[in-house]
Amino acid sequence: MKNWLLHILVNAIAIIIVSFVFSSVEIEGFIGALIAALILSILNAIVRPILVILTLPITVLTLGLFLLVVNAITLAMTDALLGSTFEIAGFGMTIIAALVISLLNLVLNSFIKD
Protein backbone atom coordinates (compact mmCIF):
# COMPACT_ATOMS: atom_id res chain seq x y z
CA MET A 1 0.00 0.00 0.00
CA LYS A 2 2.79 2.39 0.91
CA ASN A 3 4.62 1.58 -2.32
CA TRP A 4 1.44 2.19 -4.36
CA LEU A 5 0.96 5.61 -2.75
CA LEU A 6 4.57 6.49 -3.50
CA HIS A 7 4.07 5.57 -7.15
CA ILE A 8 0.92 7.74 -7.29
CA LEU A 9 2.98 10.62 -5.90
CA VAL A 10 5.65 10.04 -8.55
CA ASN A 11 2.94 9.91 -11.24
CA ALA A 12 1.52 13.22 -9.94
CA ILE A 13 4.97 14.80 -10.16
CA ALA A 14 5.29 13.53 -13.76
CA ILE A 15 1.89 15.02 -14.62
CA ILE A 16 2.92 18.38 -13.15
CA ILE A 17 6.19 18.36 -15.11
CA VAL A 18 4.28 17.61 -18.33
CA SER A 19 1.87 20.47 -17.61
CA PHE A 20 4.82 22.85 -17.19
CA VAL A 21 6.53 21.67 -20.38
CA PHE A 22 3.47 21.64 -22.65
CA SER A 23 1.00 24.50 -22.70
CA SER A 24 -1.68 22.16 -24.12
CA VAL A 25 -1.76 20.21 -20.85
CA GLU A 26 -3.46 22.02 -17.97
CA ILE A 27 -3.74 20.87 -14.36
CA GLU A 28 -5.21 22.73 -11.42
CA GLY A 29 -2.56 22.51 -8.72
CA PHE A 30 -0.89 19.64 -6.93
CA ILE A 31 -4.15 18.26 -5.52
CA GLY A 32 -5.53 18.07 -9.06
CA ALA A 33 -2.39 16.23 -10.14
CA LEU A 34 -2.78 13.78 -7.25
CA ILE A 35 -6.40 13.12 -8.19
CA ALA A 36 -5.42 12.69 -11.85
CA ALA A 37 -2.61 10.30 -10.85
CA LEU A 38 -4.99 8.29 -8.66
CA ILE A 39 -7.60 7.98 -11.43
CA LEU A 40 -4.90 7.17 -13.99
CA SER A 41 -3.56 4.48 -11.67
CA ILE A 42 -7.01 2.94 -11.25
CA LEU A 43 -7.63 3.03 -15.00
CA ASN A 44 -4.22 1.46 -15.65
CA ALA A 45 -5.09 -1.34 -13.24
CA ILE A 46 -8.61 -2.03 -14.56
CA VAL A 47 -9.09 -0.74 -18.12
CA ARG A 48 -5.58 -0.95 -19.58
CA PRO A 49 -5.28 -4.77 -19.39
CA ILE A 50 -8.60 -5.11 -21.21
CA LEU A 51 -7.45 -2.69 -23.92
CA VAL A 52 -4.13 -4.51 -24.27
CA ILE A 53 -5.90 -7.83 -24.81
CA LEU A 54 -8.40 -6.33 -27.28
CA THR A 55 -5.65 -4.63 -29.29
CA LEU A 56 -3.15 -7.49 -29.17
CA PRO A 57 -3.18 -8.21 -32.93
CA ILE A 58 -2.43 -4.60 -33.90
CA THR A 59 0.12 -4.35 -31.10
CA VAL A 60 1.96 -7.36 -32.49
CA LEU A 61 1.82 -5.92 -36.02
CA THR A 62 3.28 -2.61 -34.85
CA LEU A 63 5.90 -4.35 -32.70
CA GLY A 64 4.44 -2.89 -29.51
CA LEU A 65 4.18 0.72 -30.63
CA PHE A 66 0.39 0.61 -30.40
CA LEU A 67 0.79 0.45 -26.62
CA LEU A 68 1.49 4.19 -26.82
CA VAL A 69 -2.03 4.62 -28.17
CA VAL A 70 -3.40 2.44 -25.35
CA ASN A 71 -1.58 4.64 -22.82
CA ALA A 72 -2.99 7.72 -24.54
CA ILE A 73 -6.50 6.27 -24.36
CA THR A 74 -6.23 5.77 -20.61
CA LEU A 75 -4.86 9.30 -20.25
CA ALA A 76 -7.74 10.65 -22.37
CA MET A 77 -10.19 8.75 -20.15
CA THR A 78 -8.60 10.42 -17.12
CA ASP A 79 -9.03 13.77 -18.85
CA ALA A 80 -12.69 13.00 -19.56
CA LEU A 81 -13.38 11.90 -15.99
CA LEU A 82 -11.77 14.94 -14.36
CA GLY A 83 -13.33 17.61 -16.57
CA SER A 84 -11.80 21.03 -16.02
CA THR A 85 -9.30 19.93 -13.35
CA PHE A 86 -7.12 18.14 -15.92
CA GLU A 87 -7.29 18.98 -19.62
CA ILE A 88 -5.28 17.95 -22.65
CA ALA A 89 -5.92 19.62 -26.01
CA GLY A 90 -6.21 17.03 -28.78
CA PHE A 91 -5.45 13.34 -29.13
CA GLY A 92 -2.03 13.96 -30.69
CA MET A 93 -1.01 15.92 -27.62
CA THR A 94 -2.45 13.12 -25.48
CA ILE A 95 -0.12 10.61 -27.18
CA ILE A 96 2.88 12.88 -26.62
CA ALA A 97 1.87 13.53 -23.00
CA ALA A 98 1.40 9.79 -22.36
CA LEU A 99 4.85 9.09 -23.79
CA VAL A 100 6.51 11.80 -21.70
CA ILE A 101 4.64 10.76 -18.54
CA SER A 102 5.72 7.15 -19.10
CA LEU A 103 9.35 8.17 -19.58
CA LEU A 104 9.28 10.43 -16.53
CA ASN A 105 7.73 7.65 -14.46
CA LEU A 106 10.48 5.31 -15.62
CA VAL A 107 13.19 7.77 -14.61
CA LEU A 108 11.60 8.85 -11.32
CA ASN A 109 10.74 5.28 -10.27
CA SER A 110 14.34 4.24 -10.83
CA PHE A 111 15.25 6.41 -7.83
CA ILE A 112 12.77 4.60 -5.58
CA LYS A 113 14.22 1.63 -3.76
CA ASP A 114 11.92 -1.33 -3.16
Side-chain angles (χ1 to χ4, degrees):
M1 179 77 169
K2 185 178 180 183
N3 197 18
W4 182 66
L5 292 174
L6 187 61
H7 286 290
I8 288 176
L9 181 66
V10 167
N11 202 4
I13 292 169
I15 290 172
I16 288 174
I17 291 171
V18 167
S19 72
F20 280 129
V21 173
F22 299 110
S23 63
S24 300
V25 179
E26 297 178 7
I27 190 79
E28 288 186 8
F30 187 70
I31 299 298
L34 277 175
I35 294 170
L38 178 67
I39 291 176
L40 185 61
S41 175
I42 292 169
L43 288 175
N44 278 335
I46 297 171
V47 176
R48 188 173 185 273
I50 296 169
L51 288 175
V52 168
I53 290 171
L54 290 176
T55 62
L56 191 60
I58 194 165
T59 302
V60 170
L61 286 175
T62 61
L63 302 175
L65 290 176
F66 195 76
L67 290 175
L68 291 173
V69 176
V70 172
N71 286 343
I73 290 170
T74 57
L75 191 60
M77 290 172 76
T78 303
D79 176 19
L81 288 172
L82 283 177
S84 64
T85 304
F86 178 59
E87 291 189 19
I88 302 175
F91 192 71
M93 188 64 219
T94 306
I95 291 175
I96 294 169
L99 177 64
V100 173
I101 288 172
S102 297
L103 291 174
L104 285 172
N105 276 328
L106 179 70
V107 170
L108 293 174
N109 283 325
S110 69
F111 294 117
I112 298 173
K113 296 182 181 180
D114 291 330

